[in-house]
Amino acid sequence: MAKWIVAIDGPAAAGKGTLARRMAAHLDLPYLDTGLLYRAVGRRVLNAGDSPADKAAAERAAQTLRPEDMERTDLRVPEVDAAASTVADVSGVRAALLDFQRRFGTELGAVLDGRDIGTVIFPNADLKLFVTASPGERARRRWLELKGRGLNADLAEVERDIRARDARDIARAASPLIAAPDAIEIDTTHLDADSAFARALQAAATRFNLANSDQVN
Ligand code: DC
């Protein structure tokens, strides 16, 4: 397979991760969930007893990030959702994580999902998808996911958190969440995972000139 770079951006809980993983398997490319990098930085700041709003502490945590920090099992909890979104607004944090993301994709190609992959990390990506869904639907999915992991969450609170995170991700000065002008938008509000994958494959097939028989896994 060619060394394609596939950039998948969009807001929290829109279905990027599931889609990106399936695309990576289908196209035989490595996959990087870049949100995990920001989550790991947020976790380190919290564990050090610092505030995620402390820019120097966040920058230090990003500069000294180790691979094992990404393997922790406590990165997808509400306090880390908020911490990751806060440290992601620090330009020094973003700068510290930039090289790693570019190097990850350069050797073999990759599917990367995040907020700024198609705009900042790989502006020349071969395929850019922008995956969205309504805030209410994203909150419902996130709530189900938390419940499935045995975490007790209030749906209204989850939606408030999602909207607050969207606002921070969109309004921040450093690499805000925005669709690249050449990204193909997939709104998953009324799509299940298989239908979203089919849309993404269609986009990939057109862009990469894949034969029809290569479209279904
Ligand atoms: O995709 P996620 O929910 O795991 O991301 C966690 C936070 O990290 C999110 O609030 C925004 C930030 N993030 C970012 O700023 N840039 C990325 N490429 C990926 C995530």
Side-chain angles (χ1 to χ4, degrees):
M1 282 277 188
K3 298 180 190 176
W4 289 313
I5 296 288
V6 179
I8 304 187
D9 290 305
K16 301 187 298 292
T18 307
L19 184 63
R21 241 181 291 275
R22 286 181 78 172
M23 288 292 282
H26 185 80
L27 296 170
D28 199 18
L29 292 170
Y31 164 59
L32 181 64
D33 170 359
T34 66
L36 268 191
L37 300 171
Y38 296 89
R39 287 176 179 276
V41 172
R43 179 87 263 170
R44 290 197 81 190
V45 170
L46 292 174
N47 286 7
D50 293 319
S51 160
D54 178 341
K55 294 188 176 174
E59 218 172 301
R60 251 193 333 269
Q63 283 162 352
T64 52
L65 202 66
R66 301 153 306 180
E68 57 265 37
D69 293 321
M70 261 89 77
E71 270 144 41
R72 299 181 62 111
T73 54
D74 56 359
L75 298 179
R76 292 191 188 282
V77 295
E79 63 168 344
V80 176
D81 289 350
S85 171
T86 302
V87 300
D89 192 14
V90 180
S91 53
V93 167
R94 305 200 75 87
L97 301 179
L98 184 97
D99 273 358
F100 175 81
Q101 294 173 79
R102 287 204 176 138
R103 263 187 281 118
F104 185 90
T106 303
E107 200 188 332
L108 300 170
V111 176
L112 301 96
D113 78 49
R115 303 291 189 287
D116 62 342
I117 308 304
T119 50
V120 175
I121 307 297
F122 285 108
N124 297 320
D126 301 291
L127 174 66
K128 299 181 187 180
L129 303 177
F130 194 79
V131 182
T132 62
S134 70
E137 176 58 17
R138 289 188 285 123
R140 193 186 66 82
R141 290 179 194 165
R142 179 82 174 123
W143 177 76
L144 283 175
E145 182 205 328
L146 290 169
K147 240 175 72 156
R149 287 195 280 129
L151 296 167
N152 222 347
D154 175 62
L155 180 58
E157 204 174 306
V158 172
E159 182 164 343
R160 262 200 308 281
D161 286 352
I162 287 244
R163 286 180 184 273
R165 215 139 64 89
D166 283 358
R168 273 199 300 270
D169 290 347
I170 290 166
R172 68 168 177 243
S175 306
L177 168 66
I178 185 173
D182 52 344
I184 295 160
E185 185 171 321
I186 300 178
D187 184 336
T188 69
T189 307
H190 304 292
L191 295 182
D192 63 15
D194 284 346
S195 311
F197 183 51
R199 294 263 173 103
L201 282 187
Q202 210 172 40
T206 308
R207 192 61 61 95
F208 300 142
N209 267 327
L210 296 180
N212 267 354
S213 60
D214 203 21
Q215 287 183 38
V216 185
N217 212 356

